[in-house]
């Protein structure tokens, strides 16, 4: 066994580091570090920088504009990018729809949509969940009825992340109400500017606006926007979900978060001592570090296996569960390290010399609350356990 | 043994619950809790008229209570209704003013609003760790003062002739920087620079510690009330939310989580009752630690079991969850109090 990266992988890591040091705009990294919501402009700017290097569509094959990376390169990039406080690459067009179109799309669809994702012309959002269909995605009700060469769509989607900025939404719609739940679903691409679409904001626990409700009233969609076959959208939906779940362990984010908590605890004084000298706090931090170190190797083991057999295994579910637990534990420690100062609403602290919390730490509690989402979306941790139960236990 | 509340306390709790239900419905509560001054004067007056504040002081100091069980009766209701009013300051101020032989009537009638200022940025939760200096005036910085915006009077700890003394500062004489808290309600800082102050107790170390412990007990009771609410709400949700053609409460994995949540809450309630009975430092530290740990767990579980809806501002649970988590950070978190308990073994 050899746990170190190969010479090529090490060289690649150096290359990524140098790229991030040279090309990631400092003001964007500062905003990411301070836990501010990343603006559309910042995301677009970062996407364009990545695209000019050919590193944007990381999971796409080379002949469609991808960099030709395997899972290990993608992992190295994620880790370095999180450490450098790069904005996350928006997954909807690049990591979800792109691979779906490459596998299931018609030649016209590929030729039209893929370049527009790469150059940032189209922002995509994901229309899967509905008020009555969360974990039980197949119970979705939004329906599309064929009328000539158009589908007429009626219904409601919810939890649509960044739908307020999106130009297009990819939706699961019911095209056969009589069939078994999984059988009557289709995968449809819908222009957000079509008449009959209304987007309403949902305010989240910490006060931010990243998700929306999307209402469809007699929305007319050209039939050529159907991906793959009518009533066989579930095949497409499942393929997309496997892409949604890879990388969801967020190892890179946890590494960055760990280093940050440790640095904060080394600075923060409590009762005349540095917080890191507090045996209870130090023990908690130590335990998370153990979990994190183990998870890094678990993740790499899974990546090596995925590279070998060509697709990720059921271990992704274990990694999703453990990855979100570790990240949430780190969020918790970070907030707790600030003591009562973490209770401030970000931006309300007195600044300057009298600052109670450093501006970059103000969002600690807000991020802790916001990140309760990571164990809910992408298939809740309970649903991951159900998947594992079925796949592993043979009970 | 008798775990029943006395009739007086039950009546007080019932009328308080009714008043809070009438006046602090969640929409109004949120409007009050997240907008300066994070306090509703008319609501405060109604609470005062009900005599709530009299429950914080013993009869010989002009009050009608002051025992641990009185605090329990009131704060469980405040927690269940998520009331953001700055009553914690009164709980801690009442024994200090009693010790100083001050007139408590302005506090008990609700006319004066007191806030306790002991924390400093480098020494959170540690009354003895502060560097604020006192003589005839005060100089230093006090932070994490709950209810700072509404306060008319501050009780401030400061070093004087080598001892920890307690001072009174009038709000109009002080530079107050108020802010909103992420879980609702207000807090703030005092910047003291030769600020006029009156020394109430020259050697106040023990009295301040005891007052802080009363505040901690009140927070434990508040948490128990809020946790009960979260549990009941989550249970209702599990009975009504359908996925996969059935109520999600029918999944055994979730049933076990609910049972664990309930067990944890009963443990928290039990240690809070013990602390209310004993009113000593050791038991209060145990209670605040166990309750802080449980409060975090309950809020995280309640959100998770609700799925996405538990993450939304519009759904009341999210505000209870924030309060429960941040309550742990008030007057010493679980680790701080675990360390207090552990220190007693040496
Ligand atoms: C911030 C955020 C962003 C999101 N972004 C998007 C997006 O962009 N596009 C999109 O389509 N969706 C999005 N989602 C939706 C997300 O995928 C769903 O919230 C998730 O699938 C859970 O569904 P639900 O919220 O309806 O919870 P429910 O399915 O109602 O679940 C409630 C609880 O019951 C548990 N549960 C359910 N079924 C079972 C079972 N069989 N066994 C055991 N436990 C069970 C769940 O784990 C959960 O704890 C987002 C959600 C959030 C919170």
């Amino acid at each position: 066994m050899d746990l170190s990266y190969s010479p090529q992988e090490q060289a690649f890591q150096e290359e990524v580091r140098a790229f991030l040091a040279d090309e990631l705009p400092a003001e964007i990294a500062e905003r990411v570090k301070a836990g501010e919501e990343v603006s559309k402009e910042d995301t677009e700017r970062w996407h364009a920088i990545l695209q000019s290097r050919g590193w944007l569509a990381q999971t796409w094959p080379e002949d469609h504009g991808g960099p030709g990376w395997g899972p290990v390169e993608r992992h190295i990039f994620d880790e370095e990018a999180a450490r450098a406080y790069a904005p996350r690459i928006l997954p909807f067009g690049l990591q979800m729809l792109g691979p779906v179109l490459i596998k299931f799309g018609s030649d016209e669809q590929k030729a039209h949509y893929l370049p527009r994702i790469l150059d940032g012309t189209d922002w995509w959002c994901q229309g899967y969940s509905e008020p009555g269909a969360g974990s039980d995605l197949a119970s979705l009700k939004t329906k599309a009825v064929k009328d000539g060469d158009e589908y007429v769509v009626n219904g409601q989607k919810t939890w649509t992340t960044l739908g307020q900025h999106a130009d297009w939404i990819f939706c699961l719609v019911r095209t056969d109400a009589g069939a078994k739940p999984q059988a009557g679903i289709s995968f449809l691409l819908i222009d957000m500017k079509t008449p009959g679409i209304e987007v309403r904001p949902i305010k989240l626990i910490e006060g931010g606006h990243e998700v929306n409700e999307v209402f469809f009233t007699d929305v007319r969609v050209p039939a050529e926007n159907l991906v793959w076959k009518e009533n066989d959208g579930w095949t497409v939906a499942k393929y997309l979900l496997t892409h949604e779940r890879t990388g969801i362990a967020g190892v890179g984010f946890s590494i960055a978060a760990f280093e940050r908590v440790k640095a904060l605890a080394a600075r923060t004084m409590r009762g005349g001592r540095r917080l890191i000298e507090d045996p209870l706090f130090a023990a908690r931090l130590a335990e998370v570090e153990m979990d994190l170190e183990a998870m890094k190797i678990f993740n790499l083991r899974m990546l090596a296996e995925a590279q070998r057999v060509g697709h990720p295994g059921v271990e992704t579910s274990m990694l999703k569960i453990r990855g979100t637990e570790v990240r949430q534990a780190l969020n918790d420690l970070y907030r707790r390290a600030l003591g009562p100062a973490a209770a401030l609403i970000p931006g309300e602290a007195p600044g300057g010399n009298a600052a109670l919390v450093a501006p970059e730490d103000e969002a600690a509690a807000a991020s802790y609350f916001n990140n309760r989402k990571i164990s809910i979306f992408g298939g809740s941790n309970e649903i991951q356990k159900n998947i594992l139960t079925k796949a592993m236990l043979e009970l | 043994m008798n775990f029943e509340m006395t009739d007086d306390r039950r009546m007080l709790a019932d009328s308080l619950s009714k008043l809070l239900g009438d006046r602090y419905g969640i929409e109004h509560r949120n409007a009050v809790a997240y907008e300066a001054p994070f306090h509703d004067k008319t609501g405060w007056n109604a609470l005062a008229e009900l005599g709530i504040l009299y429950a914080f002081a013993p009869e010989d100091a002009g009050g009608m209570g002051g025992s641990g069980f009185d605090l329990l009766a009131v704060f469980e209701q405040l927690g269940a209704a998520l009331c953001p009013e700055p009553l914690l300051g009164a709980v801690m101020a009442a024994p200090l003013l009693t010790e100083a032989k001050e007139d408590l009537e302005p506090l008990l009638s609700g006319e004066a609003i007191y806030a306790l200022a002991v924390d400093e940025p480098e020494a959170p939760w540690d009354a003895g760790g502060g560097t604020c200096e006192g003589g005839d005036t005060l100089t230093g910085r006090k932070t994490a003062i709950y209810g700072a915006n509404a306060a008319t009077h501050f009780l401030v700890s400061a070093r004087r002739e080598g001892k920890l003394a307690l001072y009174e500062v009038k709000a109009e004489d002080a530079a107050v920087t108020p802010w909103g808290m992420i879980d609702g309600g207000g807090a703030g800082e005092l910047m003291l620079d030769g600020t006029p102050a009156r020394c109430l107790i020259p050697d106040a170390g023990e009295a301040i510690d005891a007052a802080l412990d009363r505040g901690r007990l009140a927070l434990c009771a508040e948490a128990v009330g809020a946790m009960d609410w979260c549990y009941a709400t989550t249970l209702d949700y599990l009975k009504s939310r359908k996925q996969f053609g059935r109520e999600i409460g029918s999944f055994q994995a979730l049933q076990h989580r609910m049972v664990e949540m309930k067990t944890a809450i009963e443990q928290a309630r039990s240690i809070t009752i013990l602390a209310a009975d004993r009113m000593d430092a050791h038991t209060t530290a145990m209670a605040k630690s166990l309750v802080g740990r449980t409060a975090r767990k309950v809020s995280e579980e309640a959100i998770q079991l609700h799925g996405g809806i538990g993450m939304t501002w519009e759904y009341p649970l999210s505000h209870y969850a924030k309060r429960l988590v941040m309550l742990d950070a008030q007057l010493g978190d679980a680790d701080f109090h675990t360390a207090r308990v552990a220190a007693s073994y040496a």
Side-chain angles (χ1 to χ4, degrees), chain A residues 92 126-129 134-135 159-161 204 210-211 373 376-378 380 382-383 386, chain B residues 241 243-244 248 251 254 304-308:
Chain A
F92 306 108
Q126 179 188 26
Y128 270 32
S129 307
S135 299
W159 308 121
T160 318
T161 298
L204 285 187
E210 65 187 67
V211 289
K373 71 188 175 192
I376 296 171
F377 66 24
S380 75
E382 291 73 27
I383 293 300
N386 288 349
Chain B
R241 173 70 171 167
Q243 292 283 276
F244 304 100
I248 58 174
F251 298 122
L254 303 192
Q304 181 70 23
L305 295 182
H306 273 84

Side-chain angles (χ1 to χ4, degrees), chain A residues 131-132 134-136 159 203-205 269-270 280 284 336 343-345 348 354 356 368 370 375 382, chain B residues 122 124-125 141 143 179-182 191 241 243-244 257 296 300 304 308-309 311-313 322 325 335:
Chain A
S135 299
D136 182 14
W159 308 121
K203 190 172 168 185
L204 285 187
I205 180 167
M269 299 297 287
R270 175 120 356 130
L280 284 172
R284 285 188 206 295
R336 284 161 72 180
L344 266 68
I345 292 176
E348 290 220 359
L356 184 57
Y368 161 86
N370 179 277
S375 49
E382 291 73 27
Chain B
E122 300 289 85
W125 312 322
R141 177 185 183 184
T143 193
W179 60 71
M181 295 197 291
I182 194 156
M191 294 295 193
R241 173 70 171 167
Q243 292 283 276
F244 304 100
R257 299 261 289 268
R296 273 203 315 273
E300 291 176 356
Q304 181 70 23
I309 202 83
M311 290 285 305
T312 62
W313 186 274
K322 281 187 286 188
V325 169
D335 283 357

Side-chain angles (χ1 to χ4, degrees), chain A residues 72-366:
Chain A
V72 176
E73 279 95 353
R74 288 204 291 276
H75 168 75
I76 290 173
F77 179 88
D78 282 351
E79 194 175 315
E80 296 302 327
R83 271 207 170 122
Y85 296 103
R88 71 170 183 150
I89 296 175
L90 274 200
F92 306 108
L94 289 156
Q95 284 155 28
M96 297 182 187
L97 183 65
V100 156
L101 288 180
I102 290 166
K103 189 167 169 78
F104 296 99
S106 65
D107 290 342
E108 295 76 40
Q109 286 171 340
K110 283 183 219 180
H112 179 72
Y113 293 109
L114 294 178
R116 296 167 64 92
I117 294 175
L118 287 180
D119 69 12
T121 309
D122 294 336
W123 264 57
W124 285 87
C125 62
Q126 179 188 26
Y128 270 32
S129 307
E130 298 183 6
S135 299
D136 182 14
L137 191 53
S139 69
L140 63 94
K141 290 205 170 61
T142 296
K143 61 175 186 194
V145 178
K146 197 79 172 277
D147 180 23
D149 52 6
E150 288 179 327
Y151 285 102
V152 182
V153 179
N154 279 285
Q156 183 196 344
K157 295 290 172 183
T158 190
W159 308 121
T160 318
T161 298
L162 299 180
Q164 72 266 40
H165 298 315
D167 305 296
W168 285 79
I169 182 168
F170 54 87
C171 277
L172 293 178
V173 292
R174 189 159 298 288
T175 34
D176 182 356
K180 280 204 303 196
Q182 277 90 342
I185 292 173
S186 300
F187 192 100
L188 212 52
L189 310 177
I190 305 179
D191 184 341
M192 293 290 277
K193 286 183 290 293
T194 322
I197 297 182
E198 192 200 340
V199 179
R200 287 188 208 156
I202 299 175
K203 190 172 168 185
L204 285 187
I205 180 167
E206 86 295 347
H209 170 207
E210 65 187 67
V211 289
N212 304 272
E213 297 178 290
V214 182
F215 296 85
F216 299 86
T217 315
D218 295 329
V219 174
R220 303 191 78 88
V221 181
E224 71 227 33
N225 289 14
L226 173 78
V227 177
W228 194 232
K229 302 172 199 154
E230 191 174 277
N231 295 330
D232 196 17
W234 193 246
T235 313
V236 184
K238 278 195 307 191
Y239 181 77
L240 185 144
L241 285 178
T242 61
H243 279 270
E244 180 171 358
R245 275 164 207 169
T246 46
I248 209 159
V251 177
F253 291 118
S254 285
I255 294 171
F258 174 75
E259 285 169 2
R260 192 164 179 181
V261 179
K262 207 164 102 179
L264 176 66
R267 283 199 312 270
T268 307
M269 299 297 287
R270 175 120 356 130
R273 281 191 316 184
R274 292 185 309 148
L275 183 59
I276 202 77
E277 294 162 32
D278 177 283
L280 284 172
F281 192 88
R284 285 188 206 295
L285 196 55
E287 281 178 357
V288 187
E289 183 177 17
M290 295 167 212
D291 275 337
L292 180 53
E293 284 298 317
M295 195 177 67
K296 278 192 225 167
I297 296 298
F298 190 3
N299 192 47
L300 291 170
R301 282 171 59 208
M302 195 204 72
L303 293 175
E305 180 66 8
Q307 207 146 22
R308 199 178 64 80
V309 303
H311 59 84
V314 70
E315 292 81 9
T316 40
S317 288
M318 290 191 220
L319 276 169
K320 198 259 169 173
I321 296 167
R322 188 41 49 93
T324 52
E325 284 171 354
V326 166
R327 244 173 106 188
Q328 289 178 338
L330 283 163
N331 288 163
D332 185 40
L333 281 182
Y334 180 33
R335 174 184 56 71
R336 284 161 72 180
L338 292 169
L344 266 68
I345 292 176
E348 290 220 359
N353 289 335
L356 184 57
V357 251
E360 61 180 47
D361 293 324
E362 269 183 27

